[in-house]
């Protein structure tokens, strides 16, 4: 099987590669070719080095999608995106990368299928940013997509195109609406959502972290480990039972900041929790107030997608996957 | 005020022109320039002939949108579309006209605004085809858009783009999700939905009409008169109370074929009803079974959009507007 990963240098791309390196049969078929694409050439995993083509390329550039698809990958994981904040700041770049890049990929697949039958599996990374306030208390699978950011708009359009190209038989699409990933590994960043991870990740290594909102703020989470699991399952599952609504809100965990902190206390103790400094930031509070807090995710669970059901497990996954099982500075 | 109507030669475009000809102050401001565009040059209404520019043009052709927008129309009514059946048959044409044409218009407006402040009102014709089965018994304003046709997909994407361009302040957008128009004037056509109009329009002029489905088939209707009213209201209303969800399911009338026929009997008598011939067509029955039957349309009604509340009124509107008040062959 030839696997193409677009956006392979990002966090989920790298963790997906770690997973298939650790479990080479996890996709159900032997991988005999791996193409990795990102704006910088991704690092090939040692286990797949001899069969990997690593490329720096932009999907929205003329000819790039057609060139990648001419190699007829069997499975395409499309993770490439300009993130929410950047798409909001740079309107043209967001539409170019997030919309035109996705359109170019879909069109390249459709046109390749004219040369000889071709119908790859395409797993598309979407986001809960496709939803906008006002929300229902729990967002059902039937709830309307009215995004309030350009990023969410672009992801919602990508979902619609993926569904139509799938319905017409040009490809086997499935869209994965990701919850906020927590605990996001790496350094603290300035994303408005960063604190949800920072207040756990930094104290777990003995560092202070800033909490800019009240403890009663509620949001919707999944771990990096579960997120990779979503992409593995989407790559291998039977799509027959999915029907025409191929874009799915993934299962996740609805939790308040206070619940995050109590889970941290249970897993890592009072001294770790003391490293959280409360520095209220009205700007971040206002942004976060517009975010969804809870999803039903019923269809995705029925279709076999799974995620953590308490925050202790999310923290333990981070300790196992990122800290080699150790807590403390 | 300069008014630009794109798709002005279609049924709604012509009836909108009839309306502003009959009531020149209906848009609240004097019209001092009228630009009419369609794939064939639309006919200028006599009342506006001296101030009308009538053009044959395709919005998706390079430079067309920019050229039209360089004249800085204050109000733009965007009706141009390849219809459902054609968009399903010709995938590339549907995406070119319905998606790229709309994108070109939005981008032309955004870029024109860089030269000097410019923020026109843009009224966009959408459709209940943005919804796909399985439906709720009554489709609320929060119900998700999962179209099952390329036309519905293109209209749903147009809605998302319109909302994002409006949110960013590039234009004042409002999207009008039209019910099925009934009684559609003109000749019977081969659209799967044609019979809903045919079984009323043809008998009203003493002609036979074919009914291919059962009398218990239910659908969602509005008259051409109400549809024009939606566009007039959308052109003139205060958009402040609309908020960010600018695409609205219009009010309409949920009725069965049997209820259509009983209304015809009340308005035009038994002999007229006898001109309906029952010729069951399983292909049409299957298509129609996938269509929405009832909408809440609560937000649109609260925002001042109005439509008929019984089928007798829909038939009477047709007799007044199309038949000069007379029934019979």
């Amino acid at each position: 099987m030839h696997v193409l990963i677009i956006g392979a240098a990002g966090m989920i791309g790298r963790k997906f590669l770690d997973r298939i390196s650790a479990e080479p049969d996890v996709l159900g078929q032997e991988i005999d070719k791996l193409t990795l694409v990102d704006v910088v050439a991704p690092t090939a995993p040692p286990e797949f080095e001899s069969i990997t083509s690593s490329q720096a390329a932009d999907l929205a550039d003329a000819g790039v999608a057609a060139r990648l698809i001419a190699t007829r990958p069997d499975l395409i994981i499309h993770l490439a995106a300009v993130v929410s904040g950047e798409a909001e700041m740079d309107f043209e770049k967001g539409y170019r990368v997030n919309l035109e890049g996705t359109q170019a990929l879909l069109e390249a697949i459709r046109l390749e299928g004219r040369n000889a039958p071709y119908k790859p599996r395409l797993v598309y990374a979407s986001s809960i940013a496709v939803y906008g306030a006002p929300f229902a208390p729990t967002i059902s699978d039937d709830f309307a997509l009215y995004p309030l950011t350009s990023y969410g708009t672009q992801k919602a359009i990508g979902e619609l195109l993926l569904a139509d190209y799938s319905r017409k038989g040009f490809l086997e699409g499935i869209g994965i609406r990701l919850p906020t990933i927590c605990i996001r590994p790496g350094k603290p960043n300035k994303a408005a959502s960063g604190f949800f991870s920072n207040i756990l990740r930094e104290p777990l290594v003995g560092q202070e972290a800033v909490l800019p909102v009240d403890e009663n703020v509620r949001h919707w989470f999944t771990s990096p480990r579960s997120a990779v699991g979503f992409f593995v399952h989407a790559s291998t599952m039977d799509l027959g039972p999915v029907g025409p609504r191929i874009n799915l809100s993934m299962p996740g965990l609805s939790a308040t900041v206070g619940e995050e902190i109590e889970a941290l206390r249970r897993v890592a103790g009072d001294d770790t929790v003391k490293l959280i400094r409360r520095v209220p930031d009205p700007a971040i509070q206002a942004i976060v107030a517009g975010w969804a807090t809870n999803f039903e995710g019923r269809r995705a669970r029925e279709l076999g997608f799974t995620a953590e059901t308490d925050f202790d497990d999310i923290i333990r996954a981070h300790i196992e996957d990122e800290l080699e099982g150790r807590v403390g500075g």
Side-chain angles (χ1 to χ4, degrees), chain A:
Chain A
M1 178 168 58
H2 175 191
V3 180
L4 165 63
I5 305 177
I6 305 166
M11 189 265 286
I12 292 177
R14 284 180 284 117
K15 291 199 164 287
F16 186 88
L17 289 171
D18 288 348
R19 177 79 185 272
I20 60 175
S21 297
E23 292 179 63
D25 59 352
V26 75
L27 298 182
Q29 292 177 63
E30 194 190 348
I31 299 170
D32 54 28
K33 188 171 175 186
L34 189 58
T35 304
L36 306 180
V37 179
D38 211 311
V39 287
V40 293
T43 307
E47 292 81 354
F48 294 109
E49 204 159 12
S50 62
I51 59 163
T52 298
S53 163
S54 182
Q55 306 179 27
D58 182 335
L59 206 52
D61 283 348
V64 167
R67 180 170 55 71
L68 291 170
I69 295 306
T71 65
R72 302 176 83 86
D74 305 290
L75 170 64
I76 303 163
I77 314 277
H78 178 25
L79 303 163
V82 166
V83 298
S84 184
E86 191 174 6
E88 202 58 28
M89 292 280 284
D90 189 338
F91 188 83
E92 293 184 354
K93 184 174 180 182
Y95 273 92
R96 205 182 77 85
V97 174
N98 294 349
L99 179 50
E100 289 172 35
T102 299
Q103 284 180 299
L105 177 63
L106 295 170
E107 273 295 275
I109 294 168
R110 182 178 73 86
L111 295 173
E112 180 63 26
R114 292 181 162 188
N115 301 330
Y118 177 55
K119 194 174 173 178
R121 173 77 51 102
L122 173 54
V123 185
Y124 175 65
S126 187
S127 160
I128 57 171
V130 296
Y131 293 101
F135 301 112
T138 298
I139 296 178
S140 77
D141 291 317
D142 285 342
F143 195 73
L145 279 57
Y146 290 118
L148 290 176
T149 60
S150 291
Y151 175 80
T153 302
Q154 292 145 10
K155 285 292 176 190
I157 294 173
E159 288 191 4
L160 284 161
L161 292 169
L162 187 74
D164 200 40
Y165 277 68
S166 298
R167 188 184 61 81
K168 296 290 274 189
F170 302 135
L171 46 84
E172 288 182 0
I174 180 154
I176 299 296
R177 266 179 224 137
L178 290 171
T180 289
I181 304 289
C182 186
I183 302 171
R184 227 187 136 78
K187 292 281 160 204
N189 68 26
K190 298 209 168 184
S193 63
F195 70 86
F196 289 120
S197 286
N198 299 349
I199 60 167
L200 304 174
R201 185 189 58 238
E202 299 306 300
L204 284 169
V205 294
Q207 306 284 324
E208 276 201 348
V210 167
L211 174 60
V213 303
D214 290 343
E215 294 204 1
N216 62 3
V217 166
R218 181 174 285 281
H219 195 49
W220 181 243
F221 303 103
T222 202
S223 69
R225 187 193 280 183
S226 291
V228 168
F230 300 155
F231 284 91
V232 167
H233 186 56
S235 298
T236 55
M237 69 191 290
D238 175 12
L239 293 189
V242 180
R245 296 190 183 179
I246 58 158
N247 295 289
L248 300 168
S249 293
M250 289 294 109
L253 177 62
S254 176
T256 64
V257 168
E259 289 164 2
E260 280 192 76
I261 293 171
E262 288 317 302
L264 182 65
R265 193 185 309 278
R266 285 189 296 273
V267 174
D270 283 339
D271 287 350
T272 304
V273 169
K274 282 181 188 148
L275 292 164
I276 300 171
R277 268 200 306 136
R278 281 153 182 79
V279 185
D281 182 331
I284 290 183
Q285 285 165 0
I287 294 170
V288 172
W291 291 352
T293 58
N294 199 6
F295 286 80
E296 198 176 16
R298 188 181 54 76
R299 290 193 64 225
R301 276 199 314 279
E302 287 173 3
L303 289 162
F305 291 92
T306 58
E308 293 82 7
T309 53
D310 72 48
F311 230 107
D312 302 45
D313 289 342
I314 287 184
I315 295 173
R316 284 195 203 99
H318 178 81
I319 293 170
E320 289 168 21
D321 293 350
E322 304 293 332
L323 304 178
E324 296 173 342
R326 281 177 293 118
V327 172

